[in-house]
Amino acid sequence: MEKKPHCVRREFPPREVSSLSLALLFVAVLLLNALLYLCLNKFYISSGRAEMDSNVCSFGYFKLGAAKNCSPWLSCEAINREVRKLKCVGEGAVKKVFLSEWKENKVVLSQLTNPELKEDFLHGLKMLKALQSKHVVRLLGYCEEQFTILTEYHPLGSLRALNETLHIPKYKGMNTWHRRLMLAIDYVSVIHYLHSSPLGTLVMCDSNDLDKVLSQYLLTSDFHILVNDLDALPLVNRSAGRLVKCGHRELRGEFVAPEQHWPYGEEVPFEDDLMPPYDEKTDIWKIPDVSNFFLGHVEGSDIVRLHLFEIHAACKKKDPSQRPSAQEVLDTYRRVLTLLIREAVMPGAREML
């Protein structure tokens, strides 16, 4: 009787397989972390947001559209000769805004409407010239004699239309928690820039309610934020004992900081001369409310809010001196973004280990 050959099954020692798998997994996790770091680093340093990128010209010059060379800011003569108004797209207390055209480029022409507010208009122009950076709308020219300012056009308009924009089919892919958190980071980056600007510590005073705040900023086509209106930007100078007051009227409501409220009660009529001044920490108080708008109600936004709860609670401290700086808020936002993206990239890594 012929014997059937025995099949010999060779097995690798379980320990060797386990060690090999862990080693490969460890390498994969390291590579994913390195890739995540490089991507986030690229986002913060470049992604069209570098402090000095290829689109930045020397002071007094600008580059627009596909132009290769920088052009000097347009003068009164050049604006009158080369800029053509198309239609009025907005009007505020200080100026009227026109969508215009310059050399086949859409631009924005702003003109003073109330002569009594010409000082505010000229202050805004002064700030716009001095603060040109990745955080501020690009200045293309101006004419002080005619109270006219020419700036870059951004078709998505102000942040007031953010939610409507994100419901347009073209932009629905942007309506995610991480893109919304990036917008909040952009906003806090602007506040940090103003608080540490080349001119000193500047306070964003046109911010007495959420709608007013959103109207001061533009949304770019690549979904970043630029500050657009700098008419009310007073300077804090602690060494000289100089604080600020946002306007000459009584401010009410929970949106403004406690120190911006009239401190003497209803029985004492408001008097501007008796109103105590304050510093840039009023901007910090408002950050949680503005960020809450940015985060919206998309999937994952509540998780972001949970991670930001502690820093937002600190922003709402009644004592301004106990609130964090804009830099501290910005650092926290960036850490939360990094953490949450890492968890999204490697959701099963812990289970595998």
Side-chain angles (χ1 to χ4, degrees), residues 15-33 346 349 352-353:
R15 184 172 297 177
E16 291 181 12
V17 175
S18 178
S19 298
L20 180 61
S21 298
L22 285 173
L24 290 173
L25 180 59
F26 181 71
V27 171
V29 170
L30 286 178
L31 289 174
L32 283 171
N33 272 291
M346 300 178 298
M352 293 170 65
L353 287 169

Side-chain angles (χ1 to χ4, degrees), residues 15 19 22 25 57 80 96 115 137 143 153 205 234 238 241 252-253 259 263 268 277 308:
R15 184 172 297 177
S19 298
L22 285 173
L25 180 59
C57 301
N80 292 331
K96 185 178 288 188
V137 69
C143 179
Y153 171 64
C205 266
R238 285 190 181 81
R252 297 176 179 271
E259 64 270 24
V268 181
L308 296 177

Side-chain angles (χ1 to χ4, degrees), residues 203-206 208 234 244-249 251 260 278 282:
V203 181
M204 193 65 175
C205 266
D206 260 345
N208 296 334
V244 305
K245 287 190 286 186
C246 291
H248 304 288
R249 298 179 181 179
L251 301 179
Q260 293 183 283
Y278 34 82
T282 57

Side-chain angles (χ1 to χ4, degrees), residues 286-334:
K286 298 161 189 174
I287 286 176
D289 298 295
V290 180
S291 290
N292 187 55
F293 167 80
F294 285 130
L295 292 175
H297 300 285
V298 297
E299 183 179 356
S301 62
D302 287 341
I303 299 298
V304 179
R305 287 186 178 89
L306 184 62
H307 281 273
L308 296 177
F309 178 83
E310 188 173 341
I311 191 67
H312 282 174
C315 291
K316 291 294 188 179
K317 294 279 189 182
K318 188 171 182 179
D319 182 352
S321 66
Q322 294 182 10
R323 296 173 203 154
S325 66
Q327 180 68 71
E328 290 171 318
V329 178
L330 183 59
D331 290 343
T332 301
Y333 275 36
R334 286 175 170 169

Side-chain angles (χ1 to χ4, degrees), residues 92-153:
V94 179
K95 52 187 178 285
K96 185 178 288 188
V97 180
F98 297 89
L99 174 63
S100 306
E101 190 174 54
W102 175 74
K103 294 186 176 181
E104 299 183 351
N105 292 292
K106 293 289 196 319
V107 294
V108 173
L109 188 72
S110 302
Q111 292 183 316
L112 177 69
T113 54
N114 186 349
E116 294 180 1
L117 298 176
K118 65 180 181 180
E119 294 302 322
D120 291 339
F121 184 91
L122 293 176
H123 176 74
L125 173 58
K126 177 184 175 182
M127 294 294 103
L128 193 54
K129 289 193 289 184
L131 299 175
Q132 284 294 289
S133 71
K134 66 176 183 176
H135 302 291
V136 179
V137 69
R138 187 171 299 153
L139 178 64
L140 309 180
Y142 62 92
C143 179
E144 287 193 33
E145 294 87 344
Q146 298 174 9
F147 298 99
T148 299
I149 300 174
L150 193 70
T151 54
E152 187 175 17
Y153 171 64

Side-chain angles (χ1 to χ4, degrees), residues 221-233:
S221 296
D222 60 347
F223 268 70
H224 287 290
I225 291 174
L226 298 173
V227 62
N228 180 53
D229 196 329
L230 303 174
D231 295 346
L233 212 60

